[in-house]
Amino acid sequence: MADTEILEGMFTHTIYKSSSYMVSKFKTEDGPITVTGPSFDYEEKQLYRLTGNYVDHPRYGFQFAMLTIEKILPDKKDEIISFLGSKAFKGIGKKTAEKIYDHFGDETLNLLKERPEAIFEVTLTNKQYASLQEGFENLNDPENDILFNLVSNGFNNNEAQRIFARFKLATLEVGQNNPFRFYNDIYGIRFEAVKQYAQKVEFADAQLKYMVAYLIYFLKEYTFNSGNIFVEEEELFAYLKRQGQNNDFTEALETAIDENYIIKEENRYYLFADYNDEKFIAQYLRNFSSELPLSKELIEEGIENCEKQLSIQYDDIQKQAIRNFFDNGISFIVGGPGTGKTTIVRGMVEIFKEYFPFSNLIVVAPTGRAAKRINEICDVESKTIHSLLKWNKESNLFAYDIDNPILYDCLIIDEFSMVDNSLFASLLKAGSRIKKLCIIGDNNQLPSIKPGELLSDLLLSKMFPVTELKHNHRQAEGSEIINLANDIINNDVDLERYHKDISFYNIYERDFDLISLIKQDVNEGYSLNDIQILSPMYKGVWGIDNLNVLLQDTFNPSDISKKEKKAGQFTYRIDDKILQLKNRPNDDVYNGDIGILSEIDEKEKYLMVDYTGIYVFYEFEELSDIALAYAMSVHKSQGSEYPIVYFIISKNNLRMLNRKLIYTAISRAKNKLVIIGDGALFMHGLSCMMKKRNTTLVKRLMEDG
């Protein structure tokens, strides 16, 4: 490897920046030069001393590949005046900078850095004195050095910021003693990045500390992929052997338990957070007490008034759901599409407003679309759970928690099948003032993506009053889609019954053409926003990724009149249908929301997506937060309805098919359902039941105390 060289220069501007890599322009005595290296927040007009190597790139020419960086203070008149006039010293303009230089000369910055009080030799305003003092204090701030140490050793900018936020000035000391704490203690840090960092550091008990971190990594991967809350001992050690981990993990497991990263209960192993979330949920629900009583006479009066006011007629089961809500602190309403869940919520809200005018109620849901639908239909305050709790994306913490509770008396949670243990525990921790709780969901849908199987567990406990809705209130509309959903629930599916709203096409027939079918829908007046393709898998000809490219090329092809931006495997184009992949509560858009790409700005390096009136800007380095939305997974579609759904079933995704996935997919369709795949595959999928996830919530709910 060549000896490192030194380059001194002033940062002028950024050419390209991602979360981990950066190309910048520096001004040196020999002229401008391009510098490449880890992403870093450089300061304008700041001089830096870089170490690295000069390279002659075959395409981009002469560059400096930077390895390390440190600030240096200017010692020439023009540079000193320019530096003092930079953003680092607010309120110090060029004239004031010249005045200071005239007094101290070429040693101005070094002298003031060592003796800030010397500035009082120059007559300035109090604000200018304060600005200079703050600026020179920042010159001695080691945060930038720590951040650069992290990003130059494999962490991206976001990870470096999270690590520094957790350990502050002790960051490098922690990294020297046990770099695996960066992974063990902090949400959102890549295990591979920590391994890479650890290989460059010598520290005591390195192998043991690696094995502890690997156990935590395994449990995180295992619980996320399986949805299980715990792993049994036999399965844990069998997995480690399958991964080629032939070391004895006994000591590492004991250490992880001693340090509270892993909890052992009988022969079960839990991540610390998962264990405590489950225990908190059980404790909260067992000890819940209602303080909003309503007499049976007033409940009946409220139902009668509500029916008149809303011009509806509740059946006996719907009335029982309303009674359960007002009679109990905690109640459940479960049922499939068309069974009247939202109509019941309207009644509960109206009666609550009438008899509890000085109490407040809110409806929450795991997705923005579900929350918006409730708001429109029921005229009630509704939010996503993340929005209600004010989630901080960077820290993965909520502003509202056990020490800062939400100020609501009644909480209704819709689309509860999608809620995972961690999110529910966070909601309950902030819910110490809640006096009435109603949970609404469809237990036949897929469970949450993250660990836990809450709705199923809470129903299995039989500890709470449950109203099960079975009657199809859209029967008069003749919806075959709802009929099929109910037939799936009743295990009574006969494909010969469905030929009006539901169509089956065999993808293996020679003349099958998906694009022609979609064009036919478009010709009948539907837009691409009305049509949603759902597939269980991402890869392959019938996978989400390939279908997105196919539909984009067909319905929004490349055109010189349309701006586009390539990012990863996708090219984003004006008018594309865009899927949000991560919650962005500050922008009020959430995982699964769909919008239209309306602007691409190469100069300012952003694109803008219109989520039905909510405009969200994405810097180019944030494009991993979105994807094309012509096709999406069944999980991403939960909580939504679309006029037309195309559901893909192929031999390649056969192992992923099960009854809950099929039920969830087909119940997303409102007017028309097109099933792409032969009937035999469809029926085979219905015969496959999802394995019950490993949880201990039911057991904890039954415990005393």
Side-chain angles (χ1 to χ4, degrees):
M1 182 177 176
D3 293 336
T4 57
E5 300 173 272
I6 295 175
L7 171 73
E8 293 186 356
M10 180 183 292
F11 169 73
T12 59
H13 64 278
T14 300
I15 299 172
Y16 169 81
K17 184 178 183 182
S18 71
S19 61
S20 58
Y21 180 73
M22 188 172 185
V23 182
S24 311
K25 212 73 174 179
F26 275 70
K27 178 182 176 182
T28 72
E29 288 184 349
D30 298 324
I33 188 169
T34 300
V35 173
T36 64
S39 284
F40 189 67
D41 292 329
Y42 293 108
E43 296 174 19
E44 290 183 15
K45 299 181 181 179
Q46 169 67 56
L47 278 170
Y48 291 94
R49 180 177 293 110
L50 315 177
T51 67
N53 298 101
Y54 290 98
V55 295
D56 192 3
H57 194 283
R59 181 175 177 183
Y60 300 110
F62 200 56
Q63 300 178 339
F64 188 81
M66 176 260 292
L67 296 173
T68 67
I69 187 169
E70 63 177 308
K71 290 180 182 178
I72 56 176
L73 296 178
D75 58 4
K76 294 181 176 61
K77 180 178 180 179
D78 290 345
E79 292 175 352
I80 292 172
I81 292 171
S82 176
F83 182 74
L84 288 173
S86 70
K87 293 179 182 177
F89 301 94
K90 295 177 182 177
I92 307 297
K94 185 177 180 182
K95 286 186 178 180
T96 304
E98 288 174 342
K99 181 179 178 181
I100 295 169
Y101 175 82
D102 289 342
H103 185 83
F104 295 112
D106 289 345
E107 289 300 309
T108 296
L109 299 180
N110 287 319
L111 188 150
L112 292 177
K113 183 181 178 183
E114 298 300 320
R115 288 196 306 113
E117 68 277 5
I119 193 61
F120 293 110
E121 297 174 16
V122 184
T123 303
L124 302 172
T125 67
N126 288 336
K127 281 188 177 180
Q128 289 172 329
Y129 284 135
S131 175
L132 286 162
Q133 183 178 6
E134 181 182 356
F136 280 107
E137 284 176 357
N138 289 338
L139 287 178
N140 298 316
D141 184 357
E143 178 177 350
N144 274 352
D145 295 333
I146 293 172
L147 291 174
F148 188 78
N149 175 279
L150 295 171
V151 297
S152 62
N153 282 289
F155 295 104
N156 61 40
N157 243 349
N158 183 271
E159 290 170 327
Q161 294 285 351
R162 289 185 180 189
I163 293 169
F164 183 81
R166 172 66 174 81
F167 294 113
K168 303 294 184 185
L169 298 182
T171 296
L172 297 185
E173 182 181 352
V174 170
Q176 288 291 329
N177 292 331
N178 182 7
F180 287 106
R181 286 191 64 193
F182 295 160
Y183 178 78
N184 300 347
D185 295 5
I186 306 172
Y187 161 80
I189 307 297
R190 290 169 299 131
F191 185 61
E192 289 302 317
V194 179
K195 278 177 61 179
Q196 180 181 330
Y197 187 93
Q199 288 168 359
K200 302 175 183 179
V201 181
E202 291 187 11
F203 54 101
D205 299 321
Q207 180 65 11
L208 175 63
K209 290 170 182 174
Y210 163 75
M211 292 168 72
V212 169
Y214 186 86
L215 285 170
I216 298 167
Y217 167 75
F218 158 72
L219 266 176
K220 286 182 180 179
E221 291 290 300
Y222 173 84
T223 54
F224 181 81
N225 291 328
S226 67
N228 295 329
I229 292 296
F230 63 83
V231 60
E232 293 183 339
E233 189 170 283
E234 185 177 342
E235 186 175 357
L236 169 62
F237 287 109
Y239 175 87
L240 293 171
K241 284 187 177 180
R242 288 198 301 272
Q243 296 302 305
Q245 299 287 341
N246 296 317
N247 296 309
D248 184 355
F249 274 82
T250 305
E251 183 182 2
L253 199 51
E254 290 173 354
T255 302
I257 293 169
D258 288 342
E259 294 177 353
N260 273 336
Y261 291 120
I262 293 174
I263 302 293
K264 182 180 182 183
E265 187 179 72
E266 297 176 0
N267 70 328
R268 302 182 297 271
Y269 293 92
Y270 305 75
L271 285 168
F272 180 82
D274 290 342
Y275 178 84
N276 283 288
D277 285 342
E278 195 178 67
K279 289 207 69 164
F280 184 86
I281 291 168
Q283 181 184 29
Y284 181 98
L285 296 179
R286 278 201 321 265
N287 298 332
F288 189 90
S289 60
S290 175
E291 299 173 21
L292 291 172
L294 192 63
S295 70
K296 295 188 184 303
E297 291 76 19
L298 289 179
I299 294 173
E300 298 307 316
E301 178 184 271
I303 292 173
E304 188 176 330
N305 292 340
C306 189
E307 287 179 319
K308 291 176 183 176
Q309 183 181 341
L310 300 177
S311 299
I312 56 178
Q313 182 65 51
Y314 289 118
D315 65 23
D316 291 342
I317 300 297
Q318 290 176 312
K319 288 179 181 178
Q320 189 56 47
I322 297 173
R323 294 184 190 110
N324 279 342
F325 173 67
F326 286 103
D327 275 343
N328 300 278
I330 300 174
S331 62
F332 285 72
I333 301 172
V334 295
T339 55
K341 296 190 295 292
T342 307
T343 305
I344 294 170
V345 172
R346 284 186 72 188
M348 295 190 314
V349 168
E350 292 302 319
I351 296 169
F352 187 92
K353 287 178 181 177
E354 181 179 354
Y355 293 107
F356 300 101
F358 301 108
S359 297
N360 54 3
L361 174 151
I362 188 169
V363 181
V364 295
T367 69
R369 301 177 307 284
K372 185 177 180 181
R373 187 181 72 245
I374 285 287
N375 175 265
E376 292 170 347
I377 296 174
C378 300
D379 187 28
V380 64
E381 184 181 7
S382 60
K383 293 181 179 181
T384 66
I385 299 172
H386 284 84
S387 178
L388 173 67
L389 300 181
K390 296 192 180 300
W391 179 61
N392 183 301
K393 174 181 166 184
E394 302 305 323
S395 65
N396 195 36
L397 297 175
F398 294 100
Y400 289 101
D401 55 20
I402 204 160
D403 299 315
N404 183 30
I406 54 175
L407 303 179
Y408 288 92
D409 302 294
C410 179
L411 180 67
I412 298 174
I413 310 173
D414 194 21
E415 296 286 355
F416 193 72
S417 65
M418 300 171 64
V419 178
D420 59 82
N421 280 26
S422 175
L423 186 57
F424 192 45
S426 296
L427 180 59
L428 298 184
K429 285 173 185 175
S432 59
R433 300 191 182 193
I434 296 296
K435 303 175 184 69
K436 193 172 288 294
L437 175 65
C438 182
I439 290 171
I440 302 172
D442 184 349
N443 197 38
N444 294 291
Q445 285 194 36
L446 288 168
S448 60
I449 294 177
K450 290 184 177 180
E453 200 163 1
L454 271 176
L455 184 55
S456 175
D457 282 344
L458 294 175
L459 296 176
L460 281 172
S461 75
K462 300 187 184 302
M463 291 183 62
F464 312 101
V466 177
T467 306
E468 186 175 0
L469 307 173
K470 294 182 178 180
H471 179 65
N472 177 9
H473 288 272
R474 297 186 205 165
Q475 192 75 43
E477 301 171 18
S479 171
E480 287 187 348
I481 298 165
I482 292 177
N483 291 343
L484 174 58
N486 288 327
D487 289 345
I488 291 173
I489 293 171
N490 297 322
N491 197 25
D492 182 29
V493 174
D494 181 351
L495 299 185
E496 296 299 320
R497 296 178 190 149
Y498 322 110
H499 31 67
K500 183 168 68 76
D501 304 326
I502 302 173
S503 304
F504 286 85
Y505 290 90
N506 191 332
I507 56 177
Y508 301 106
E509 292 180 356
R510 176 179 283 182
D511 60 348
F512 174 73
D513 185 357
L514 175 63
I515 295 300
S516 295
L517 291 175
I518 296 173
K519 283 182 176 179
Q520 186 176 326
D521 292 328
V522 172
N523 292 336
E524 291 175 1
Y526 289 100
S527 72
L528 283 181
N529 291 334
D530 298 324
I531 303 166
Q532 191 56 57
I533 316 295
L534 301 180
S535 176
M537 61 182 185
Y538 282 87
K539 303 303 177 185
V541 174
W542 296 103
I544 293 162
D545 294 341
N546 188 61
L547 288 169
N548 267 318
V549 174
L550 175 66
L551 270 70
Q552 182 194 45
D553 288 346
T554 304
F555 296 100
N556 192 25
S558 181
D559 189 298
I560 56 172
S561 66
K562 284 190 175 183
K563 291 182 180 179
E564 57 182 44
K565 169 64 181 173
K566 183 169 176 56
Q569 63 181 318
F570 295 123
T571 297
Y572 296 105
R573 198 169 292 139
I574 297 294
D575 296 330
D576 268 338
K577 192 174 174 182
I578 298 296
L579 175 67
Q580 176 67 27
L581 299 177
K582 300 176 181 177
N583 291 325
R584 288 175 67 122
N586 292 338
D587 293 316
D588 199 25
V589 295
Y590 298 89
N591 183 357
D593 284 350
I594 293 176
I596 300 297
L597 178 53
S598 57
E599 186 178 343
I600 297 174
D601 192 319
E602 285 286 352
K603 184 179 179 182
E604 298 297 328
K605 300 188 182 305
Y606 73 81
L607 56 77
M608 183 179 75
V609 179
D610 176 6
Y611 293 94
T612 319
I614 298 174
Y615 297 93
V616 179
F617 293 83
Y618 299 87
E619 295 180 11
F620 283 171
E621 61 187 72
E622 297 180 302
L623 298 188
S624 61
D625 285 2
I626 62 174
L628 293 174
Y630 301 101
M632 68 166 72
S633 70
V634 179
H635 269 108
K636 292 287 185 189
S637 73
Q638 273 187 277
S640 296
E641 271 191 333
Y642 312 96
I644 299 177
V645 165
Y646 282 76
F647 178 43
I648 308 293
I649 300 176
S650 77
K651 293 173 182 175
N652 293 334
N653 60 35
L654 198 56
R655 67 180 183 84
M656 303 176 71
L657 291 178
N658 60 69
R659 181 179 294 191
K660 285 196 172 186
L661 183 134
I662 292 175
Y663 175 88
T664 303
I666 66 104
S667 58
R668 300 309 95 207
K670 192 172 182 180
N671 302 333
K672 179 179 177 181
L673 171 66
V674 183
I675 297 172
I676 307 300
D678 66 31
L681 290 177
F682 184 82
M683 295 303 292
H684 171 81
L686 290 179
S687 70
C688 299
M689 307 299 290
M690 283 189 75
K691 183 183 176 184
K692 177 75 175 71
R693 292 177 172 182
N694 290 337
T695 68
T696 34
L697 180 58
V698 176
K699 171 180 175 291
R700 298 192 197 289
L701 285 166
M702 302 297 186
E703 290 173 352
D704 295 327

